[in-house]
Amino acid sequence: MANKSVWSDNRFWQRSATWVTGFASILLIWLTFDTSAQIAMGNDQDLKNGVTKRVPGPTVINYKITYEMSAKRGHEVPVIGEKEKFFGRDDYSEEEAGALLHLGKLGSQAKNCMDCHTLLGNGAYYAPDLTKAWLDPAWGPDGAMQALTGKNTKEEAMAEFLQHPDQYPTHARMMPNLGITAEEAKGLVAFLKHMSSIDTNGFPRNFGHMQGAINGK
Amino acid sequence: MANNHLTSESKQLATWYFTFAAIIFGAQLLFGLVAAIQYVMPGFLYGVLDFSIARILHINALVVWMVFAMFGSVYWLLPDETGIETVGIKLGKLLFWIFAAAIVVVVLVYLLVQVGPADATTIWFITEGREYIEAPRWADWGIVVVALGFVANLFLTGIKGKQTGIVTVLMADMIAFAGLYLAGMFFTDNISVDQYWWWWVIHLWVEATWEVFVGSIAAYGLITMIGAHRKVVEMWLWIEVAMLFGSGILGLGHHYFWIGTPEYWWEIGALFSALEPLPLVAMFIHVLYDWGKTQGGEEAKGSDVSVINNKPAFTWFVLNAFGNFLGAGIWGFFHTLPQVNLYTHGTQFTSAHGHLAFFGAYATILVGMMYIAVQGTNGLKVMKHTKASIWAVSMITGGVVGMTVALTIAGYVQVLVSRAQMGATWAGYFDGQSGMWFIQAMDWRLIMGAVTFLGFVFLAKDLLTTGKNPVHER
């Protein structure tokens, strides 16, 4: 026994494994408490008082959202600006906006969006990332999708496309018709607008700015 | 099965699990082929079996066959390790049929119903629509019950019988495996919270509990197949557990870079996920070291026979040592740092890593366990390679490596064109997808997928017939 080294002792390694696992687990649980507080959804009061939340409340759909470079943080962050009409209104109450967001999030799961698209970068890679889809120039006033769908606003163009994707082919890889109703489409667009307001630490980088950069010197 | 040499009921149950796992493995490859064809010909089965459904079936079949093969592996090794018959064998058999029937129902719903209205009935009865854990909630609860029954069998047997290091590790690991599933069973409107807990299931399963499971199986395999010294093997196992949990638990941070979570996850995720390849190097060395040590010991005694009593299984185990390190370790490390991941996240890079990692780290060793079961079922003293087993291992491995290389190239195109140049918009995305290099890469992925599927046909043939083959020593 005298010559036996601790390095070849199974009990030493068993204890090491237990301590390392325990330590890592406790650290993870502690970080989870901190993160949970930081990613909890904000509310209407925060938005009215200009308090920035990583995940703003559902009434963010009453406001204009942009994605701007933050000199302090060194990457782009969502900026919530002045009031903006969403399906003709900018006075959705906390309950109304919450119900729309609920319908949209549920709809995104019921229609399996994540098995073609990525949301917050997670999902499948068969179709474009939807993290900041609300801010995509394609849906903007000069974008191709408003003209294609014959609608006057971003949200109406998006809702129309979601209900009849097979009528508006943008690529050979067409989105199938998933039986999305008008109400569900409205919820899904609210969900997309809300998601674009989430602070994703600058992901995706340079979103929307480099459009046409190849030929547009 | 005729000519059955199994006296242990636990081992017989294990063969049920392995058989069902192999069938689902085939289904996984079939639906993978459909999805690969859709990348090349987007009109293929449009409106009938869309990409989203093919992909659900491809990925869920992968998870299910691996879980089945894991349960099978545990039922197989329990009598050997504990020295007694598994305690609740009747319960185990009942749970097998419940689990298998539930999966058939879920698959039929995916194929025939596919999507539902945006209300709770869809979540309960059709799909939860959350990548990898799409199973409807009724099935979730079923899975929890089945997993708890399995864990109960493992614990009751482990407590009653001999507790080796391998059994002790499995007991701790499988309770974490079952418990973590609960983190993915709720609905929230907050997608950041949703993703936060979703990764507790996905990451902590795959990069922590599954890897520790593989360590235990590798340890068992080395003792069984080459007669490696238990004390040495179990010492490696404990070192691996320390390293795997030490890096894997906080390595969770690499999924928290961009989902709305605070910036401190950049540093935590970068540090711990950079450590994640280390235990895989250890597992790699472990297998080759023990093999060399045992063979060398024989040669020192003047014997020149191989110490391996199951050549096909051992081939798959060695492939596991390589594949785990390459697929999970190297391909994972490629894009794990936030500075790189900002551009590579959500591109075919992830898919390349996923294909090689799941194959290298899990498929290989589980197929190896199937060969060990075939050897035991047929009472073979030494199992050799057959033509079919060599074709199977070559074509499956070659196919998966080919797919990985193709997807890596596709990922490069996406990063350069869609992300760096075009800024990740809708138009930028399709510019990347329309690039010639991307299209060629997807053609190659399909070809290599077909090669993999052919390899599977050889594998199925070999698993079914090799027991009767006269080349083996009885």
Side-chain angles (χ1 to χ4, degrees):
Chain A
M1 281 303 278
N3 289 328
K4 201 176 162 189
S5 162
V6 68
W7 300 108
S8 62
D9 177 16
N10 278 11
R11 271 165 58 83
F12 168 74
W13 290 111
Q14 184 173 0
R15 282 183 192 150
S16 303
T18 312
W19 277 103
V20 167
T21 307
F23 182 73
S25 306
I26 286 166
L27 203 54
L28 176 62
I29 290 165
W30 181 65
L31 288 166
T32 296
F33 276 108
D34 185 71
T35 299
S36 295
Q38 292 205 45
I39 63 175
M41 207 181 274
N43 57 35
D44 200 35
Q45 278 307 312
D46 298 328
L47 286 165
K48 283 182 176 145
N49 299 334
V51 178
T52 312
K53 290 277 180 174
R54 300 196 70 96
V55 182
T59 45
V60 75
I61 58 171
N62 290 324
Y63 297 87
K64 189 178 160 90
I65 300 160
T66 51
Y67 194 52
E68 292 168 16
M69 179 57 88
S70 156
K72 185 167 157 247
R73 293 175 62 188
H75 54 73
E76 286 158 316
V77 293
V79 175
I80 295 157
E82 72 243 33
K83 286 266 187 168
E84 179 188 63
K85 295 262 197 249
F86 185 73
F87 289 100
R89 288 178 56 192
D90 60 6
D91 57 351
Y92 290 92
S93 70
E94 195 125 38
E95 291 71 35
E96 286 173 309
L100 268 185
L101 176 61
H102 177 73
L103 181 67
K105 172 69 170 25
L106 205 49
S108 77
Q109 292 181 217
K111 306 296 176 187
N112 272 316
C113 300
M114 277 186 103
D115 277 289
C116 285
H117 293 275
T118 42
L119 285 78
L120 301 178
N122 295 315
Y125 322 122
Y126 194 67
D129 185 277
L130 297 180
T131 309
K132 304 290 174 201
W134 173 258
L135 308 175
D136 198 306
W139 297 101
D142 306 320
M145 297 308 289
Q146 278 197 35
L148 194 64
T149 53
K151 299 290 174 184
N152 297 322
T153 65
K154 204 192 266 193
E155 60 272 22
E156 282 167 330
M158 283 179 143
E160 170 64 18
F161 178 81
L162 284 170
Q163 289 171 74
H164 312 286
D166 43 347
Q167 287 174 22
Y168 306 105
T170 58
H171 187 264
R173 223 183 278 164
M174 264 197 310
M175 178 167 157
N177 190 332
L178 299 166
I180 297 169
T181 65
E183 195 53 30
E184 285 172 348
K186 197 173 166 187
L188 283 165
V189 179
F191 169 62
L192 289 174
K193 185 167 183 180
H194 178 260
M195 184 158 59
S196 75
S197 74
I198 295 175
D199 186 341
T200 51
N201 292 340
F203 176 85
R205 197 170 174 82
N206 286 330
F207 184 84
H209 296 302
M210 304 297 280
Q211 198 61 35
I214 313 172
N215 303 312
K217 306 177 177 168
Chain B
M1 224 172 273
N3 195 15
N4 198 333
H5 289 74
L6 294 184
T7 48
S8 156
E9 283 205 79
S10 191
K11 284 183 186 256
Q12 239 143 33
L13 178 58
T15 63
W16 295 7
Y17 274 99
F18 285 133
T19 309
F20 194 79
I23 295 168
I24 303 292
F25 182 21
Q28 183 218 336
L29 299 182
L30 212 55
F31 289 110
L33 272 182
V34 172
I37 293 171
Q38 283 165 335
Y39 261 101
V40 176
M41 294 191 294
F44 184 67
L45 294 180
Y46 177 78
V48 180
L49 184 73
D50 288 310
F51 179 85
S52 55
I53 305 301
R55 183 179 187 266
I56 285 188
L57 289 161
H58 177 55
I59 285 179
N60 287 252
L62 164 86
V63 175
V64 166
W65 88 253
M66 287 187 171
V67 170
F68 263 79
M70 284 186 204
F71 285 11
S73 303
V74 172
Y75 280 122
W76 184 269
L77 64 78
L78 265 186
D80 293 343
E81 287 293 310
T82 59
I84 60 167
E85 181 63 277
T86 298
V87 172
I89 203 71
K90 280 213 173 65
L91 176 73
K93 285 183 175 172
L94 178 71
L95 291 175
F96 169 82
W97 289 112
I98 293 176
F99 201 3
I103 282 157
V104 172
V105 174
V106 170
V107 168
L108 286 176
V109 170
Y110 284 166
L111 280 172
L112 303 174
V113 186
Q114 300 190 350
V115 292
D119 59 37
T121 54
T122 302
I123 303 292
W124 273 99
F125 299 107
I126 301 171
T127 177
E128 284 211 59
R130 299 170 73 209
E131 196 192 15
Y132 309 128
I133 45 177
E134 284 97 345
R137 197 160 287 155
W138 71 264
D140 271 350
W141 284 107
I143 291 166
V144 169
V145 171
V146 169
L148 287 178
F150 165 76
V151 168
N153 266 356
L154 171 59
F155 268 74
L156 294 175
T157 315
I159 287 165
K160 199 172 151 201
K162 196 162 61 187
Q163 275 165 43
T164 62
I166 292 173
V167 170
T168 311
V169 170
L170 278 175
M171 284 162 76
D173 190 51
M174 282 295 156
I175 193 117
F177 170 87
L180 286 169
Y181 192 74
L182 295 168
M185 284 178 54
F186 65 97
F187 177 86
T188 165
D189 294 338
N190 185 337
I191 189 170
S192 294
V193 173
D194 179 319
Q195 295 278 303
Y196 187 89
W197 292 104
W198 179 79
W199 282 117
W200 273 54
V201 187
I202 307 305
H203 172 97
L204 291 178
W205 258 23
V206 173
E207 288 171 62
T209 57
W210 285 30
E211 283 284 3
V212 167
F213 174 86
V214 165
S216 316
I217 296 295
Y220 169 79
L222 288 170
I223 294 170
T224 323
M225 282 186 291
I226 60 174
H229 195 289
R230 179 177 289 275
K231 188 170 178 293
V232 178
V233 169
E234 290 195 340
M235 187 176 107
W236 276 106
L237 179 58
W238 285 115
I239 296 173
E240 285 160 10
V241 171
M243 292 170 87
L244 285 165
F245 278 141
S247 61
I249 290 175
L250 288 164
L252 180 58
H254 66 224
H255 300 292
Y256 293 161
F257 296 159
W258 326 115
I259 64 165
T261 34
E263 282 100 328
Y264 55 67
W265 286 109
W266 283 350
E267 284 80 14
I268 296 165
L271 173 63
F272 287 94
S273 65
L275 295 174
E276 276 187 59
L278 292 180
L280 307 178
V281 180
M283 291 172 88
F284 174 76
I285 298 170
H286 171 185
V287 170
L288 296 190
Y289 167 88
D290 263 328
W291 179 16
K293 181 175 174 290
T294 319
Q295 186 71 55
E298 282 304 302
E299 277 162 24
K301 284 189 272 174
S303 148
D304 67 344
V305 288
S306 168
V307 289
I308 304 165
N309 67 29
N310 188 334
K311 285 278 170 66
F314 197 73
T315 306
W316 284 104
F317 271 66
V318 170
L319 271 175
N320 174 261
F322 277 89
N324 202 355
F325 172 59
L326 258 186
I330 300 297
W331 252 264
F333 185 72
F334 266 172
H335 63 158
T336 198
L337 297 176
Q339 295 85 340
V340 177
N341 192 261
L342 177 59
Y343 294 95
T344 56
H345 183 47
T347 65
Q348 298 293 343
F349 260 115
T350 319
S351 185
H353 160 56
H355 279 75
L356 194 56
F358 270 94
F359 170 74
Y362 307 114
T364 46
I365 202 156
L366 295 171
V367 172
M369 283 303 293
M370 290 179 189
Y371 270 105
I372 289 181
V374 167
Q375 181 187 23
T377 310
N378 292 283
L380 304 175
K381 215 162 92 202
V382 179
M383 195 153 144
K384 307 221 166 127
H385 268 299
T386 62
K387 275 204 178 102
S389 76
I390 290 170
W391 276 111
V393 81
S394 317
M395 290 182 83
I396 294 178
T397 309
V400 174
V401 170
M403 282 195 280
T404 304
V405 172
L407 289 169
T408 305
I409 292 168
Y412 265 114
V413 180
Q414 267 190 295
V415 167
L416 295 178
V417 178
S418 306
R419 291 293 181 75
Q421 193 177 17
M422 302 294 289
T425 53
W426 182 291
Y429 174 84
F430 283 117
D431 277 346
Q433 304 287 307
S434 313
M436 189 174 67
W437 289 355
F438 185 93
I439 289 171
Q440 286 178 350
M442 284 318 199
D443 291 343
W444 278 106
R445 193 271 291 270
L446 174 57
I447 293 166
M448 289 298 162
V451 171
T452 310
F453 187 78
L454 274 179
F456 171 78
V457 175
F458 279 108
L459 178 67
K461 178 194 174 267
D462 197 52
L463 285 171
L464 288 172
T465 60
T466 194
K468 314 284 174 297
N469 199 313
V471 297
H472 308 306
E473 282 174 37
R474 272 152 218 282

